[in-house]
Every structure is written in structure tokens, then in C-alpha cells.
Amino acid sequence: MGWLDARDADEVTYDQLSGFEYNGRRIALMDRQRGIRKPAGMDAALAIRTTYTPPNKVPPYQDAIGPDGLQRYMYRGQDPDHAENRALRVAMRLRLPLMWFVGVREGLYQPIYPVFILGEEARQHRFALALDEMQRFVEPGAAMAEDTRRYVERVTKARLHQRVFRSQVMLAYDGSCAICELQQERLVDAAHIIEDGKPGGEPVVPNGMAMCKIHHAAYDAGILGVRPDLTLHIRQDILDTVDGPMLRHGLQEMHDRRLLVIPRSRASRPDLHRLERRYSEFLTAG
Ligand SMILES: [Zn+2]
């Protein structure tokens, strides 16, 4: 995990993971065949993996948030005594941190760590995970106040779902704002077309667009709309305002222009139906 921290890039490749060395010894952090990685000579699992899900498909972990707001991870197969499931159980008993590598493109992974195995639900063939230190105090399946549950779920979504979403959207848009092409990593967000929590609001690439902070905020505030034909609409009162260069170049001149960055792969492009819904909300609000 220290090695992952020390790297510049957000994502990590299969080759980097499988070629990992510690004290001169090669200890692969990922196995091509198996989703749960337990190096020879160790009792506990070191890492888990979720393979890449194409942009228009919902990833397997998407619907696996428990009633307590905690993320679930399915067994390898159905047999609780399978060596890989046993290795996860050992990590749970010893309270050891794991790394979770979530595929964001073929052979490319977003690392989520540290992850802890908090509990096991043998009947459902799955483990409950903690994705940060705070979640380690949650008892899986226990009754809890509604605001606590919502908080736990918010952490799960931020730590896993939104991070993977951001990573995939950034890859699809080459890290550039779709509207102005700004490419400063710290200033570019993955914007939702349909808000998280609403029907259609899933964190999948066709529900996203890369946008710089200003354009993201303008989109969410109903100042800027994206038409289903991928042209831009700036609200009339904003067009009528006189202000400095940010307003003039950043917003007013964008009116009726087309998005500057559109993903090459058709499946990654903004979904037409979601754009229609969002744009009609923009028109109604304006
Ligand atoms: Zn922008």
C-alpha cells in the first residue's frame, strides 16, 4: 500500500501489479485467473479484484450495498471452504487490510485501499467490507439509525462507486473538460447527467461527462444546459450580464457551441435519454 501511495498515477496496470517486488522478491499482487489473491506462504488474502465492466453495463458491486450501507463482496463460487474464501476469512479474523483493484479499462485498475473484511454472510455467500476506518465500527446487518445508515452508504459510494466512476469518465474524456478542454487534473470532475440516487443516476460512463469545476457548477446550477445534440445552451440572464473574462469566455461564448471533447467510443458517450431528461429540467427551471 505504501508502494501504491508513492506512485503518481491514480490507476495501476496489470503488469505493475503482477510484477510487484518486495525486498527483492516478486510477490504478484494480482493473478490472471483468480479474483482473490493469496500469495504462496501467506495465510490471508492480500488483494481482491473486480474485472472491468464496459461503460454501458452495471458493474457487479453496484447493487451490492447492504441494508447497513456497507459494501458486499461475493464469495469465489458457492463453497465457503474454497481456499480463496478461507483466505478472506483469515484476513477478517486477523483484521488485516486488503487492496481492492477495480477494473476501469482492460488491464487497468483503480486501487481502493485499505479495505477490511468486517463480517461474513454465509447464506448469501458474501462478505461485508469496510472501505474506511470509520466503517470498521459498523456491525454488519445490525439495526441502526437512519442517518447513520445514510452516512455509511455515502462513504461507500464516495470511496468506491464515485472513485471508479471518476476514473472511467476521465479515461473516456482524456482528462479534459468536455466543454472547454481544460486538462488540469485537480480542476476536472466527473459530472453526473442524472443525479446520484435518482432513477438513471447510476455512476456509469454514459451518465457522466468530464467537466472543469466552473462548468460542472454551472451545469448543476442550471446556468448551462447540454442539449441532446451535444450543443450548449447558456441561460438568457447570464447571456445578458456584463462581467469579466471568465463570464465572457468561459460561459457566454460557449452558447450554441458543440461539446469540444466527446469520447471516441460510442458506448462511452453521454446517453441521449439522460441528456433529454436533464435538458428538459434545465428548460423548466430556467
Ligand atoms: Zn470547462
Side-chain angles (χ1 to χ4, degrees), residues 14 19 29 32 65 84 86 88 102 133 164 181 185 228 232 235 238 255 271 283:
Y14 172 80
L29 299 180
R32 204 176 276 287
I65 297 182
E84 291 172 39
R86 285 210 314 269
L88 285 179
V102 183
E133 292 291 339
V164 174
E181 254 179 331
E185 200 190 339
L232 300 167
R235 205 171 68 197
I238 301 293
H255 187 60
D271 170 51
L283 292 177

Side-chain angles (χ1 to χ4, degrees), residues 177-182 187 210-216 250 254:
C177 172
I179 294 167
C180 69
E181 254 179 331
L182 184 76
L187 297 181
M211 283 189 190
C212 70
K213 299 279 181 193
I214 286 282
H215 289 134
H216 187 187
M254 297 298 170

